[in-house]
Amino acid sequence: MRQRSFRQVDVFTTQPYRGNPLAVVLDGEGLTTEAMQQFTDWTHLSEATFLLPPTPEGRAAGADYRVRIFSPGRELPFAGHPTLGSCHAWLEAGGQARTAGRVVQECGVGLVTLRQDGDRLAFAAPPLVRSGPLDEADVVRIAQGLGVARSDILHHAWCDNGPNWRGVMLQSAAQVLALKPDGAILDGLDVGVVGPRGKVGVVGSSDEHGIAFEVRAFFPGSNGLSEDPVTGSLNAALAQWLIGAGLAPTHYVASQGTALGRAGRVHLAQEGSDIWVGGSTVTCVRGEVLL
């Protein structure tokens, strides 16, 4: 074991402790998968990441660094807030991109491109692994688990870009915030819920606060059903679904974490064939860890 540089960052917020925290070990070389998983479980955070040099194949394809992403109990091929938080920590520690204005991250799903949008970082959403409508049996089960009528689910789709998200749209942000899901009914499902705020869609505009949607994310945790404060992978997939289906404008901001006392803001934008997912990131802890 040795001392390794470490950051704890808060993602999708300009206010420390109001977004989604992430542990970043800046030098993951020599660590076993078991050691990475053990450290992640010890942090009690939703994710921890470990930065590594790119593989030879990744370097040849333009990768600046490689990241392994862990959540309690498992390694993830991709996740949004760890992507932004890892890039923030890498740049802050002196990382130099091979191409000005672009950072290329290698992870389980392949290469993910990031860019700087003013004071925010943004990543190009990876392609969906699975899309299209959910099975009706799943929709009925989700409605029961959320405690709403089946008719309250206006639209639904697979939003799978690594994590197996199922997305549903309810009638309003207020309804989304009032949810009290039943973990026993939803056991084994990763569910993303989105509700319109203000006037949205192909002819709508956002409300006075500039927020188009309220989002919540529920998933199986170590002690039952958990809720994620702010979820980059889910918002990326939701944007691909909602913009593609004409249910959201090509540029919008989503709010997430309100029900948990957070103030997450996710900036979504379609540019050509790409969906860019952006947010602010702040460092809350700098130091070293023994690993």
Side-chain angles (χ1 to χ4, degrees), residues 94-178:
Q96 297 290 323
R98 296 165 68 182
T99 303
R102 287 285 190 276
V103 176
V104 180
Q105 171 184 285
E106 182 181 9
C107 58
V109 295
L111 301 183
V112 176
T113 299
L114 296 101
R115 70 182 186 188
Q116 246 175 331
D117 285 342
D119 63 348
R120 296 191 299 267
L121 288 168
F123 65 85
L128 293 176
V129 176
R130 184 174 183 181
S131 59
L134 302 174
D135 293 338
E136 181 60 22
D138 272 357
V139 181
V140 171
R141 180 180 168 192
I142 289 169
Q144 292 173 341
L146 295 178
V148 300
R150 167 62 183 87
S151 58
D152 287 333
I153 296 180
L154 305 182
H155 307 281
H156 56 82
W158 276 101
C159 295
D160 185 358
N161 52 11
N164 296 314
W165 291 112
R166 296 164 171 85
V168 296
M169 176 181 277
L170 302 185
Q171 297 185 48
S172 69
Q175 189 176 27
V176 171
L177 290 172

Side-chain angles (χ1 to χ4, degrees), residues 173-264:
Q175 189 176 27
V176 171
L177 290 172
L179 292 174
K180 299 186 182 302
D182 186 324
I185 296 175
L186 296 177
D187 184 41
L189 297 181
D190 293 342
V191 182
V193 187
V194 57
R197 295 190 62 165
K199 299 177 181 178
V200 297
V202 294
V203 296
S205 60
S206 63
D207 66 13
E208 60 180 339
H209 302 295
I211 306 300
F213 294 98
E214 187 71 41
V215 175
R216 295 180 72 180
F218 304 106
F219 61 94
S222 55
N223 296 308
L225 192 69
S226 296
E227 179 170 359
D228 199 35
V230 201
T231 319
S233 63
L234 173 61
N235 276 283
L238 285 174
Q240 288 166 302
W241 164 40
L242 297 175
I243 293 174
L247 298 171
T250 57
H251 293 68
Y252 70 88
V253 179
S255 168
Q256 191 179 350
T258 308
L260 300 176
R262 308 292 177 88

